[in-house]
Amino acid sequence: MGPDHASDWFWEVLESTRPRLSALESWLESQPREVLEAFALAYESAAESLADFSDGVSVDGDVWSEDSTEDLCMWVVGQGRGLWSSVVVGDRPLEDVARTYLGRAPLLPDGVPLWDEEVSDPGHRGYQSPGAIVHGVYRTRFAEDLHERLGGMFGGM
């Protein structure tokens, strides 16, 4: 899948709220149910376009588990369209990006700040990443599990 796989609006939301997770949380809280569902689907789809989670990613001779590979891919999406598209088109191997992920450097190589983990609603603790916060907001607002609502469309989430 090409670099335009996810909708422009999805990437714009991530870019306009970065690096404050609470800003993304607030934006999601103001959106209708359908937008939260579309955001979650776009996020998962973008992550799945990076790798087959079940194959794992090999980093320095170690093959990561399916869950660890999924976590990495979800993290890449959260860092924005620039990093995501550079991995999708092959300019940055996922293995190299994994090293940045492991190091949790304060900035990505191109100077993009990493997300903070602060949320406004204490009920959203435990959902403190750009890919997970939509699930916390959905549960709080609609008293439903987003994964179940969407019929298991999320790989291993």
Side-chain angles (χ1 to χ4, degrees):
M1 296 192 190
D4 293 322
H5 177 63
S7 299
D8 286 339
W9 72 266
F10 168 77
W11 296 113
E12 289 168 9
V13 167
L14 286 179
E15 295 306 321
S16 68
T17 56
R18 174 194 317 291
R20 293 182 47 242
L21 190 58
S22 61
L24 178 57
E25 173 190 33
S26 178
W27 183 86
L28 291 165
E29 288 171 336
S30 72
Q31 301 304 309
R33 176 189 297 255
E34 297 76 22
V35 172
L36 271 67
E37 293 168 357
F39 180 90
L41 287 171
Y43 206 110
E44 181 69 17
S45 179
E48 289 175 348
S49 72
L50 295 171
D52 181 343
F53 304 153
S54 64
D55 288 343
V57 62
S58 179
V59 180
D60 300 327
D62 293 323
V63 178
W64 289 16
S65 70
E66 182 174 347
D67 287 343
S68 294
T69 301
E70 180 179 7
D71 290 346
L72 169 64
C73 292
M74 295 292 281
W75 180 85
V76 169
V77 172
Q79 304 321 304
R81 185 180 217 157
L83 180 61
W84 173 81
S85 64
S86 71
V87 173
V88 168
V89 300
D91 290 343
R92 282 189 174 159
L94 191 56
E95 297 79 12
D96 291 349
V97 174
R99 290 184 191 94
T100 301
Y101 171 74
L102 288 172
R104 301 284 188 192
L107 295 174
L108 293 171
D110 53 4
V112 175
L114 298 178
W115 290 88
D116 65 27
E117 294 183 354
E118 188 174 320
V119 291
S120 300
D121 186 328
H124 298 156
R125 290 194 185 113
Y127 298 97
Q128 292 165 272
S129 72
I133 191 67
V134 66
H135 293 270
V137 170
Y138 198 89
R139 183 178 298 276
T140 300
R141 290 189 55 209
F142 305 113
E144 286 184 71
D145 182 274
L146 181 55
H147 174 70
E148 290 177 13
R149 167 81 176 169
L150 297 176
M153 296 176 95
F154 298 100
M157 285 182 74

